[in-house]
Amino acid sequence: MAELTRRHFIAGATLLFSGPIAQTAQAAPVSRSDMWSTWDSQVVPAGYDAATSNPWGFHPRFLPTRVEANDGLIPGDIHVDAVARYLYHIEEGGTAMRYGVAIARGRLYEAGTYTIRRKAKWPIWTPTANMVRREPERYEQYADGVDGGPNNPLGSRAFYLYVGNRDTYLRIHGTPEPRSIGGRASSGCVRMVMAHIIDLYDSVQTGSTAVLYPAEDSLARS
């Protein structure tokens, strides 16, 4: 009887503990840089050439173009011609890269001299309190912020404009509405095509100056 009991125990133990439990394969978490690369590929056209690619259908003059820079401008700085809707990034050797932009509607555009104190890839967007107060039906639903991604209003990249240490909440940023380039569309910021600001991003250093010149309505009032 004792032997039967031992055999019974051994058999039962074999059934209960048949071997090591296989580890379930866990999907590796997606890194932020992987997400950024995926999103970049979604907003940069296939076969992209900065000087010629224009699936967005805006005027060709807004495509990136290298031009001569005016004398005395500091390499690394940005200048925004709000009337012509051009952004110039000043280069060494007397040249500048010129990009088409959209600027803010009406009096929301704020000309001035700013410092780029921060820059970000695929940033979170949060409407300002003034935006929510001005157009609650449009912005209140986003008061807690919108995660980065191809539909985020700040687009693929953003430069944050400061006066001293004060964040002005003005940005130079990508836009999911590239057909707005050449017009007046935003709530204070300067918009660029996402593929174009991706090209520009690594060339712009924090601490650089961004000069936003007056728009046509400001000049008419002066």
Side-chain angles (χ1 to χ4, degrees):
M1 178 67 72
E3 183 63 28
L4 177 62
T5 302
R6 276 199 302 275
R7 286 200 302 270
H8 178 76
F9 173 80
I10 293 169
T14 302
L15 291 175
L16 287 173
F17 306 104
S18 57
I21 297 174
Q23 295 295 317
T24 303
Q26 298 290 330
V30 178
S31 69
R32 295 181 70 185
S33 60
D34 286 341
M35 288 192 302
W36 293 340
S37 295
T38 298
W39 292 336
D40 282 357
S41 68
Q42 292 176 13
V43 301
V44 176
Y48 173 68
D49 177 79
T52 60
S53 295
N54 188 10
W56 311 285
F58 47 66
H59 196 285
R61 75 181 181 92
F62 295 123
L63 291 171
T65 306
R66 180 164 280 108
V67 298
E68 290 187 9
N70 292 337
D71 292 339
L73 299 180
I74 298 173
D77 285 354
I78 284 175
H79 295 259
V80 175
D81 180 340
V83 177
R85 310 290 196 264
Y86 287 142
L87 178 149
Y88 297 88
H89 181 240
I90 310 304
E91 300 174 319
E92 298 283 354
T95 61
M97 279 303 299
R98 187 186 74 193
Y99 302 85
V101 298
I103 65 168
R105 305 186 304 271
R107 294 176 182 267
L108 297 177
Y109 178 79
E110 297 182 41
T113 300
Y114 305 94
T115 302
I116 298 171
R117 293 220 172 273
R118 181 188 167 208
K119 61 181 198 174
K121 297 181 178 181
W122 294 104
I124 293 171
W125 171 74
T126 304
T128 66
N130 283 339
M131 291 169 68
V132 174
R133 185 163 50 250
R134 191 167 55 242
E135 299 180 74
E137 69 288 348
R138 182 177 184 182
Y139 294 118
E140 198 163 34
Q141 60 187 314
Y142 305 119
D144 292 331
V146 177
D147 288 337
N151 295 317
N152 183 294
L154 289 182
S156 55
R157 305 287 190 275
F159 304 122
Y160 293 69
L161 306 188
Y162 282 66
V163 172
N165 293 320
R166 177 178 64 85
D167 186 356
T168 64
Y169 298 100
L170 299 176
R171 315 285 185 244
I172 298 170
H173 64 84
T175 177
E177 299 176 352
R179 290 182 180 273
S180 66
I181 298 302
R184 305 195 67 163
S186 71
S187 293
C189 299
V190 175
R191 295 180 174 186
M192 296 180 66
V193 173
M194 289 204 222
H196 296 173
I197 199 171
I198 289 173
D199 288 344
L200 175 63
Y201 185 81
D202 288 337
S203 299
V204 175
Q205 304 301 315
T206 55
S208 300
T209 297
V211 182
L212 277 55
Y213 294 92
E216 60 271 19
D217 52 352
S218 299
L219 295 173
R221 290 196 299 268
S222 60

